[in-house]
């Protein structure tokens, strides 16, 4: 009898162990654009999935939900907050609505170049911002990237701030961007990304602004005639995870998720770098009329009242700390 019982125990333990070994947790990750290789998000999510599988010996599987199929970015972040979605790779657009302090990185003409932005976001300033997310029931794993944003529209070639007057311009649902475009004299219309292409087709908006990565991936050359390389603002992305999942991960798994997100961000940045080189030529070949540069100082001087507002909101010291960061 005793022997039988021990046998039973051994069997139960073996079953449990084999069950454990094959147990796989599937996590869902949403993002706005096409899967790899057709967008920087797709490439980032793909890298993330591979690295997680490798680092956790397949215990975690990342299932991708591209092309806004789980909603706009604000909705996806809300779902992550509620725990009905596990992960999102998103632009910074709606993020200040959740973590207001992050709006500081959306200030126009703040970053000189990608190297400056990347060193700020990967350094203490960027990490301090990521550390603000848990208080809002979100875990920010790492900053990713979209590139510098440029203006597209169907009305006219925009070369000067005057050309922006009255343009019905879709902006992200981002208070910093809305202030900037209002100050420049455009008519900013905040709108979730999934509505933008229809809005451009139907003429409810004249234009929008996004990096070459997004313009290319979303095939905006089919619905927009003019492109101006304004580089008016750097566009970060961020990998966000639900605390519901994060809180039950072992320390080793947490480390794997953080490392995987950093490699995913690196893959996004490389993709953006490659596109910056050839993307504009491709868009020209697709028929877009391109204004290659603007007088940045002129735009900045018109933005003076907006800069005063940002200083009041985020503190001039914090803004200068980013500007002067080396
Ligand atoms: O996340 O909403 C936007 O303009 C974003 O830059 C884009 O959808 C990619």
């Amino acid at each position: 009898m005793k022997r039988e019982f021990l046998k039973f125990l051994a069997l139960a333990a073996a079953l449990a162990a084999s069950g454990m070994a094959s147990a796989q947790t599937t996590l869902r990750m949403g993002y706005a654009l096409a899967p790899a290789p057709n967008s920087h998000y797709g490439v980032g999510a793909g890298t993330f999935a591979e690295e997680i599988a490798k680092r956790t010996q397949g215990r975690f599987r990342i299932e991708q939900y591209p092309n806004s199929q789980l909603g706009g970015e604000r909705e996806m972040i809300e779902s992550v907050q509620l725990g009905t979605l596990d992960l999102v790779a998103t632009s910074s657009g709606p993020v200040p609505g959740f973590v207001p302090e992050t709006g500081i990185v959306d200030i126009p003409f703040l970053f000189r170049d990608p190297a400056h932005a990347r060193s700020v976001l990967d350094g203490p300033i960027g990490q301090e911002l990521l550390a603000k997310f848990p208080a809002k029931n979100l875990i920010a794993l790492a900053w990713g990237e979209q590139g510098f944003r440029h203006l597209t529209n169907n009305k006219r070639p925009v070369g000067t701030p005057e050309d922006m007057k009255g343009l019905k311009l879709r902006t992200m649902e981002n208070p910093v961007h809305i202030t900037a475009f209002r100050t420049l004299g455009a008519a900013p219309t905040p709108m979730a990304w999934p509505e933008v292409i229809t809005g451009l087709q139907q003429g409810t908006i004249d234009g929008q602004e996004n990096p070459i990565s997004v313009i290319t991936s979303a095939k905006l050359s089919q619905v927009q005639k003019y492109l101006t390389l304004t580089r008016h603002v750097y566009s970060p992305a961020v990998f966000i995870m639900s605390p519901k999942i994060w809180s039950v991960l072992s320390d080793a798994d947490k480390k794997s998720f953080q490392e995987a997100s950093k490699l995913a961000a690196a893959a996004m940045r490389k993709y953006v770098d490659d596109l910056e080189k050839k993307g504009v030529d491709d868009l020209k070949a697709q028929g877009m009329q391109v204004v290659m540069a603007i007088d940045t100082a002129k735009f900045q001087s018109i933005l003076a009242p907006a800069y005063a507002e940002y200083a009041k909101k985020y503190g001039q010291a914090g803004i200068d700390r980013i500007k002067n960061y080396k």
Side-chain angles (χ1 to χ4, degrees):
M1 183 63 192
K2 197 175 165 206
R3 214 158 122 208
E4 284 303 306
F5 185 62
L6 283 177
K7 237 170 155 179
F8 167 76
L9 274 187
L11 183 67
L15 273 177
S18 73
M20 293 288 269
S22 65
Q24 191 183 49
T25 306
T26 298
L27 300 178
R28 302 191 311 153
M29 179 183 239
Y31 52 91
L33 298 170
N38 293 320
S39 84
H40 48 301
Y41 286 109
V43 166
T47 302
F48 187 76
E50 274 166 34
E51 293 295 332
I52 290 292
K54 199 162 79 192
R55 280 155 204 272
T56 67
Q57 297 79 42
R59 284 180 293 109
F60 290 95
R61 192 172 75 88
I62 307 299
E63 202 166 77
Q64 298 179 46
Y65 291 81
N67 288 317
S68 309
Q69 56 184 282
L70 300 181
E73 293 184 325
R74 181 170 49 74
E75 291 166 296
M76 287 194 280
I77 300 171
E78 273 164 10
S79 301
V80 169
Q81 212 172 28
L82 291 169
T84 54
L85 175 62
D86 305 308
L87 291 145
V88 60
T90 175
S91 76
S92 62
V95 174
F98 298 86
V99 186
E101 296 91 336
T102 61
I104 195 168
V105 297
D106 295 315
I107 294 177
F109 304 112
L110 177 69
F111 295 110
R112 291 180 297 279
D113 49 35
H116 179 208
R118 293 166 187 180
S119 64
V120 167
L121 295 174
D122 294 345
I125 302 173
Q127 302 312 299
E128 283 163 28
L129 289 171
L130 296 186
K132 308 261 184 220
F133 285 65
K136 308 296 168 164
N137 212 29
L138 293 166
I139 301 296
L141 295 173
W143 291 105
E145 177 174 289
Q146 302 216 81
F148 279 87
R149 299 178 83 90
H150 305 292
L151 180 74
T152 69
N153 86 99
N154 277 331
K155 282 276 177 214
R156 52 186 169 261
V158 171
T160 64
E162 291 73 51
D163 297 330
M164 291 195 56
K165 289 253 143 51
L167 267 191
K168 272 185 285 169
L169 187 68
R170 177 269 175 172
T171 70
M172 297 198 288
E173 299 164 285
N174 181 294
V176 176
H177 287 200
I178 296 168
T179 299
F181 287 108
R182 188 179 299 125
T183 309
L184 285 169
T189 311
M191 193 184 275
W193 170 253
E195 291 156 42
V196 174
I197 292 183
T198 320
L200 292 170
Q201 276 166 338
Q202 297 180 343
T204 50
I205 42 175
D206 302 318
Q208 65 85 52
E209 43 80 53
N210 252 306
I212 298 298
S213 58
V214 179
I215 297 172
T216 305
S217 174
K219 301 190 171 66
L220 291 187
S221 61
Q222 295 177 356
V223 288
Q224 292 277 264
K225 194 155 175 209
Y226 304 105
L227 165 64
T228 303
L229 301 180
T230 45
R231 298 180 95 259
H232 56 274
V233 69
Y234 176 76
S235 194
V238 59
F239 291 91
I240 306 178
M241 185 167 181
S242 168
K244 205 165 144 188
I245 302 296
W246 180 256
S247 61
V248 298
L249 291 182
S250 68
D251 285 349
D253 284 342
K254 280 182 179 155
K255 201 166 157 232
S256 296
F257 274 75
Q258 271 162 339
E259 286 168 356
S261 64
K262 282 187 189 121
L263 291 167
M268 283 182 101
R269 288 168 176 176
K270 182 178 180 312
Y271 188 92
V272 167
D273 283 344
D274 291 348
L275 255 191
E276 289 291 322
K277 288 190 200 110
K278 61 180 262 298
V280 176
D281 286 339
D282 289 350
L283 294 168
K284 277 185 190 163
Q286 289 158 23
M288 287 192 104
Q289 208 173 302
V290 185
V291 176
M292 292 300 285
I294 55 158
D295 182 346
T296 301
K298 213 171 189 177
F299 279 76
Q300 282 174 306
S301 79
I302 295 174
L303 282 170
Y307 287 127
E309 236 176 84
Y310 303 144
K312 212 152 80 191
K313 201 157 165 188
Y314 302 107
Q316 192 58 46
I319 297 171
D320 290 341
R321 190 175 163 224
I322 294 178
K323 277 192 180 158
N324 302 326
Y325 187 80
K326 291 223 168 67

